[in-house]
Amino acid sequence: MKKIQELNPSTDELLNLEYNYQPELTKKLDNTNSDFNQELINEIVLWKTNRYAELTNETLDLINKIDRKSEFIDSALTGDILLHLWNTKGIRLPMASTILRFRNPKIYQIIDQRVYRLIYGTELKLKTNLNDTIMQYLDYLTDLRKVCDLYQIPFSESDRILYEYDKIYNLEKIKY
């Protein structure tokens, strides 16, 4: 590992470097003049952990097409939304399912390592092909609903209930 003294850069060399980390969010945070609130702190934390996902207006419009009162999943719309979410840096199935869950928990739940292993008895391995991943999620939701019916668990709370249940009864470490 080299120290800066060993590299001996010129001032011009250092000052001509362009910082290109999360450029849009960095610019927004650099230009913030308002008081700090929880929303701003959340954005700073997401910036630091490189987990900030800026969605396109088209993707947001699709998400907003999900009826918050619906009790039935629109598979075509869901697939379309997932395709758009996948085009966003930092979003894959676990994050996408989280977004969908908060839009309508009556039809979507978070796909999670703990709940997955509780349902299937195996480790969650996400598919690499996008269409396969969409089918994996839709199948998961169907199977989760069956478990909820069997054990009389409210579907809208099932990701949380089963997550906690797994923590108590499955002591094997989760592989992230």
Side-chain angles (χ1 to χ4, degrees), residues 65-102:
K65 285 184 179 180
I66 298 170
D67 183 351
R68 289 183 180 269
K69 296 177 183 174
S70 179
E71 296 190 18
F72 302 99
I73 194 165
D74 180 336
S75 297
L77 177 60
T78 300
D80 211 15
I81 292 168
L82 291 173
L83 287 170
H84 279 79
L85 287 171
W86 255 265
N87 289 324
T88 305
K89 183 180 181 242
I91 296 185
R92 290 298 169 259
L93 186 55
M95 181 60 69
S97 69
T98 303
I99 292 167
L100 293 174
R101 188 240 183 259
F102 282 104

Side-chain angles (χ1 to χ4, degrees), residues 101 105 109 148 153-163:
R101 188 240 183 259
Q109 288 293 288
C148 288
I153 298 169
F155 184 80
S156 62
E157 300 171 38
S158 61
D159 60 347
R160 297 170 183 185
I161 292 169
L162 294 175
Y163 176 91

Side-chain angles (χ1 to χ4, degrees), residues 142-155:
T142 299
D143 294 340
L144 178 58
R145 193 166 291 280
K146 289 176 186 173
V147 167
C148 288
D149 290 345
L150 181 64
Y151 294 98
Q152 299 182 350
I153 298 169
F155 184 80

